[in-house]
Amino acid sequence: EPEVTQTPSHQVTQMGQEVILRCVPISNHLYFYWYRQILGQKVEFLVSFYNNEISEKSEIFDDQFSVERPDGSNFTLKIRSTKLEDSAMYFCASRDRRNTEAFFGQGTRLTVV
Amino acid sequence: AQTVTQSQPEMSVQEAETVTLSCTYDTSESDYYLFWYKQPPSRQMILVIRQEAYKQQNATENRFSVNFQKAAKSFSLKISDSQLGDAAMYFCAAQNRDDKIIFGKGTRLHILP
């Protein structure tokens, strides 16, 4: 069964460092998303991506964040200068045009120290 | 804007009993989708059940069923014959067609042996 794959599963980084979280969506899916879940809190929308551009972003998604689909298969989330409050679980999701159900990856746990 | 409200932060149920998790939502759209996701300790997001708003029939998936009250904007999840493996965080979510998913704050479900 096709699935969304995220790497790494856990990343520890120093405050101020750049991190790149990687996602491989299900092939032939066209819509891509990043969500964030701070421990013990709700799952929050960060950004949606379609047709090689951002279609919507939340207030959380400030200039420190960027997304890219560099090679037609990977979908990355970059945080330029991490802060302690960026520590969270980050989920990637994708869906195709016909079926609205979004499939989630297993998440990347980011710890900023 | 869409909102999703889960008013029960935690619930407990005896193994083999039935439990109902509540969810209300608000949307101005007529065409939308509703979901229940399960998040076990691994923090992976697992789709439990989905409901399309235009369908009057309540969705069911084995021991999981929903009570969808469109006029009241209510979407509760019933788990029958609760099992220890059902212990998890449960998130109610809503999505307007071709839009992002919005999550509630979640309900932590404990299963008592």
Side-chain angles (χ1 to χ4, degrees):
Chain A
E1 187 174 324
E3 59 180 19
V4 177
T5 306
Q6 289 185 243
T7 55
S9 56
H10 189 191
Q11 171 123 23
V12 181
T13 189
Q14 294 258 331
M15 189 170 59
Q17 294 295 305
E18 174 184 286
V19 293
I20 297 177
L21 309 183
R22 301 182 192 280
C23 170
V24 179
I26 295 172
S27 64
N28 82 350
H29 279 195
L30 301 173
Y31 299 82
F32 313 109
Y33 305 86
W34 282 102
Y35 287 81
R36 180 181 82 175
Q37 185 187 28
I38 294 172
L39 184 63
Q41 299 188 23
K42 67 188 292 185
V43 181
E44 301 171 294
F45 167 76
L46 289 178
V47 65
S48 57
F49 192 86
Y50 170 70
N51 200 25
N52 286 320
E53 61 182 23
I54 290 173
S55 47
E56 187 176 355
K57 59 184 180 179
S58 71
E59 293 175 350
I60 304 168
F61 195 87
D62 61 22
D63 292 344
Q64 292 296 314
F65 291 88
S66 62
V67 290
E68 200 174 40
R69 191 159 157 78
D71 55 12
S73 61
N74 290 286
F75 178 52
T76 62
L77 174 69
K78 183 194 293 186
I79 309 175
R80 289 192 184 80
S81 178
T82 50
K83 308 184 196 68
L84 294 176
E85 54 264 37
D86 292 327
S87 294
M89 197 77 168
Y90 288 81
F91 292 99
C92 172
S94 72
R95 66 178 179 91
D96 67 18
R97 188 187 297 276
R98 296 179 306 281
N99 184 345
T100 193
E101 175 188 336
F103 290 82
F104 282 81
Q106 78 278 22
T108 292
R109 186 190 302 268
L110 176 65
T111 303
V112 182
V113 297
Chain B
Q2 271 191 333
T3 58
V4 178
T5 303
Q6 293 179 251
S7 57
Q8 304 152 316
E10 287 193 63
M11 291 195 72
S12 297
V13 63
Q14 209 73 38
E15 194 177 1
E17 296 295 307
T18 296
V19 64
T20 299
L21 309 184
S22 302
C23 173
T24 58
Y25 62 93
D26 190 22
T27 179
S28 56
E29 302 290 326
S30 58
D31 191 7
Y32 54 91
Y33 305 86
L34 299 166
F35 308 93
W36 278 97
Y37 284 90
K38 173 184 178 181
Q39 189 179 44
S42 65
R43 300 189 69 186
Q44 186 174 359
M45 295 295 283
I46 302 167
L47 179 67
V48 174
I49 201 165
R50 61 175 282 189
Q51 174 83 41
E52 286 134 315
Y54 67 87
K55 288 186 178 178
Q56 292 186 330
Q57 188 171 7
N58 289 325
T60 62
E61 283 290 339
N62 301 314
R63 297 183 295 108
F64 299 86
S65 61
V66 297
N67 183 4
F68 174 44
Q69 301 288 325
K70 191 170 183 179
K73 294 183 178 173
S74 167
F75 183 62
S76 60
L77 174 70
K78 185 170 84 171
I79 306 174
S80 304
D81 186 25
S82 300
Q83 300 175 0
L84 293 177
D86 295 334
M89 195 76 166
Y90 286 82
F91 290 97
C92 179
Q95 179 187 3
N96 292 333
R97 181 178 280 278
D98 287 338
D99 200 355
K100 61 187 179 293
I101 295 175
I102 300 296
F103 289 85
K105 289 188 176 182
T107 297
R108 185 170 300 282
L109 179 64
H110 303 278
I111 310 294
L112 307 174

